[in-house]
Amino acid sequence: MRSHRRSRLLAPFLLVPLTAGCFSSGGGDDSASGDGKDGDGARLRVALAFPPAENLSPYGADATLLSRLGVTEGLTALDANGSAAPALAESWRRDGDKTWEFTLRDATFQDGGDVTPAAVAASLTRATEAKPAPAALAGVTLGVKAGGDRVVRVTTAEPDPVLPLRLSSPSLAILSKGAYGKSDRVDPVGHATGPFELTEVNGATSASLDRFDDYWGGRAQASGIDARFIADGTARANALRTGELDIAEAVPVAQAASLDEKTRRDTATTRTTSLLLNASSGTFKDAGLRAAARAALDTSVFAKDVYEGYGDPGAGVYGPAVTWAEGKRTAPVGRAAAKKPGDGGTITLATYDNRPELPEVAQVVKQQLEKAGFTVKLTVREYSRLEGDALDGKFDAFVLARNTLLDTGDPVAVLASDYTCDGGFNIAQLCDEGVDRAVADAEKIADTAKRQDAAMAAEARILGSDAVVPLVHQRIITGVADSVQGVVLDPYERTLVGTGTRR
């Protein structure tokens, strides 16, 4: 049940460079100028919140760093509606239940080679062999072969109606043969296909990128990127305010007011902060006590007070950024009657401080639960020191910030991984036959609208279990200097810098 443990929360925020304006962009009106190569297009100075943790491997959390900086891309991307959009593949079709054919566009790797069916097949095959498997491939068996001059054939062991969505994952980026040496390490430097090419990586401190002039989507307007990895949110905000940066991602809510209003961009994201209650052991094994905990929480205070308006009240697994969800949401199914908390011992509530608002969220949860009669002990650690215990069910309750469409873009995938008996990221330890059946039914549906309906039916059963209590749907604050245009404000947190980003 815990075979696919990968740190999915430290994945900052992602990428797949989009050539069309799928998402809103922000910035001032100044034209590009300054110290660009060839005399045009100033270099961009960008601060990212998380440093590389896995030597820039495309298969783990670092995939999002590569995507946000415009280095890597896959066969597909996500459009503004959450549907699969063309990237390195210009089109695709299904050939039977288990096979898809992807037709490649004319594109070039940053090391000069052509993006051929054989190269794509080799790259995706390496991803299938990675240990642990990329989250987008959890529970999925792929076979990839060249199918003609421009065609790649992808076959799955079981029917996979959302394969084009799955292949949009940053962890399934296409790299050239040169990225794969004799060791297990994958080197994306100079071997990707995006509009910007990594030229130098200085450990966990900084990286340099130059414009890739042969990018299939057109020449980027910025000549390059000087990226810094700054974990401290206050430091990122200060560097933007003093003119050292052009773009600062993930500005903490507490620092938003310190930035000029014109330099703040807040974007509704598909990230939801929830309280997960351990449904398999301890106090909250009792559904009636889970119901009591849910009833004790006033979720309106989190968006208003903790997130200072940069969030929306928790409504479900999916928030406002998943634009179709609200109109399809139904009432929770099968909720137990709330019991009065008795002398059940002390509840262990845990969260992590990598996202600075979470300890405050957890403190408010603790106070509200105690007011209802629970006894609560709060534990706060750095995420990497907490994940193993959380997945092993060692806490009674856990405050989690989770991007619901991060891994695949498929709304059913997060339900399968987080709330089913065999889910690899089931911190709530939920194992409910009705939930498993609803999720399994949703996984079989190919039609987009019907799959969304089925996902909401499964969500209703999950919420009815009271193993998860949505608290707030987050907005991400991006700091953008007045002189910058074209920053990509992506609700899926996959893209930040694109071909049109400039100063």
Side-chain angles (χ1 to χ4, degrees):
M1 178 172 169
R2 306 287 180 255
S3 59
H4 300 291
R5 293 185 182 177
R6 177 174 298 284
S7 180
R8 305 180 190 184
L9 304 172
L10 294 182
F13 321 91
L14 332 177
L15 122 61
V16 179
L18 304 179
T19 56
C22 291
F23 307 107
S24 60
S25 61
D29 297 326
D30 294 358
S31 59
S33 61
D35 50 359
K37 69 178 183 179
D38 300 327
D40 69 336
R43 293 178 66 83
L44 295 167
R45 300 164 300 168
V46 179
L48 301 181
F50 289 87
E54 299 171 332
N55 295 316
L56 288 177
S57 167
Y59 303 141
D62 291 355
T64 62
L65 299 178
L66 297 170
S67 72
R68 287 180 72 74
L69 291 172
V71 177
T72 55
E73 60 192 343
L75 289 181
T76 61
L78 288 182
D79 69 13
N81 295 317
S83 300
L88 288 175
E90 61 183 11
S91 63
W92 50 88
R93 71 179 187 91
R94 198 169 185 178
D95 183 15
D97 288 342
K98 300 179 182 180
T99 300
W100 293 76
E101 287 191 346
F102 293 83
T103 300
L104 303 180
R105 66 173 74 252
D106 185 9
T108 305
F109 287 112
Q110 293 164 352
D111 55 15
D114 291 334
V115 177
T116 63
V120 170
S123 184
L124 287 177
T125 298
R126 289 295 292 259
T128 67
E129 296 169 348
K131 303 294 182 184
L137 294 181
V140 177
T141 302
L142 292 185
V144 191
K145 294 182 179 179
D149 290 341
R150 298 173 58 214
V151 174
V152 176
R153 288 177 60 85
V154 183
T155 301
T156 57
E158 300 294 333
D160 187 3
V162 295
L163 184 66
L165 273 181
R166 191 180 305 282
L167 293 178
S168 74
S169 171
S171 63
L172 300 181
I174 303 302
L175 302 174
S176 70
K177 181 179 180 180
Y180 309 101
K182 293 182 179 179
S183 68
D184 291 336
R185 184 173 180 270
V186 181
D187 182 11
V189 178
H191 301 305
T193 62
F196 293 99
E197 177 183 354
L198 274 171
T199 57
E200 184 179 2
V201 179
N202 300 307
T205 304
S206 64
S208 296
L209 303 89
D210 287 343
R211 177 173 56 209
F212 176 43
D213 288 340
D214 291 329
Y215 179 55
W216 62 265
R219 203 162 170 260
Q221 296 189 35
S223 62
I225 300 172
D226 297 314
R228 295 165 61 189
F229 306 111
I230 304 176
D232 186 276
T234 300
R236 291 195 302 278
N238 287 341
L240 181 76
R241 191 170 52 250
T242 58
E244 297 174 46
L245 294 174
D246 300 310
I247 304 167
E249 74 167 6
V251 175
V253 167
Q255 294 298 315
S258 71
L259 300 179
D260 186 274
E261 185 176 358
K262 293 185 296 184
T263 66
R264 299 196 304 261
R265 306 284 185 274
D266 68 281
T267 309
T269 72
T270 55
R271 186 176 295 277
T272 296
T273 296
S274 300
L275 175 66
L276 301 175
L277 302 177
N278 187 332
S280 68
S281 64
T283 299
F284 293 124
K285 184 176 181 179
D286 187 325
L289 291 177
R290 296 200 300 271
R294 183 254 309 155
L297 297 178
D298 176 4
T299 59
S300 66
V301 305
F302 297 102
K304 179 182 177 182
D305 296 334
V306 178
Y307 286 87
E308 300 180 18
Y310 292 102
D312 298 288
V317 174
Y318 317 102
V322 185
T323 54
W324 51 263
E326 183 60 32
K328 294 175 178 285
R329 179 163 285 123
T330 58
V333 173
R335 270 185 171 161
K339 293 182 177 180
K340 185 176 181 179
D343 186 16
T346 299
I347 293 165
T348 57
L349 168 65
T351 194
Y352 47 102
D353 55 11
N354 301 83
R355 296 187 178 276
E357 295 82 16
L358 293 188
E360 185 176 354
V361 170
Q363 186 63 45
V364 174
V365 169
K366 178 177 184 291
Q367 292 169 356
Q368 293 186 353
L369 290 177
E370 288 177 337
K371 186 177 180 181
F374 292 98
T375 302
V376 184
K377 176 185 177 182
L378 177 59
T379 296
V380 179
R381 300 181 204 155
E382 194 273 329
Y383 182 76
S384 65
R385 298 177 55 239
L386 202 66
E387 185 185 56
D389 286 346
L391 288 168
D392 285 338
K394 293 185 178 179
F395 305 114
D396 296 302
F398 194 88
V399 174
L400 173 79
R402 178 78 156 109
N403 189 318
T404 57
L405 298 181
L406 178 96
D407 294 334
T408 66
D410 172 30
V412 180
V414 70
L415 305 183
S417 67
D418 290 22
Y419 303 111
T420 63
C421 295
D422 292 329
F425 201 67
N426 189 354
I427 291 176
Q429 311 294 313
L430 181 62
C431 188
D432 180 281
E433 289 183 5
V435 168
D436 275 25
R437 186 164 51 250
V439 172
D441 289 345
E443 288 178 319
K444 299 172 185 175
I445 299 173
D447 178 82
T448 299
K450 292 180 180 178
R451 191 177 181 91
Q452 291 170 351
D453 291 339
M456 299 311 292
E459 184 204 58
R461 289 194 171 275
I462 291 165
L463 295 178
S465 75
D466 284 326
V468 55
V469 183
L471 303 176
V472 63
H473 304 295
Q474 292 181 232
R475 293 177 173 269
I476 190 170
I477 305 171
T478 306
V480 182
D482 288 347
S483 60
V484 176
Q485 294 181 331
V487 173
V488 185
L489 303 178
D490 176 8
Y492 308 108
E493 301 180 271
R494 293 185 171 201
T495 318
L496 181 65
V497 177
T499 57
T501 313
R502 65 190 185 279
R503 68 179 176 96

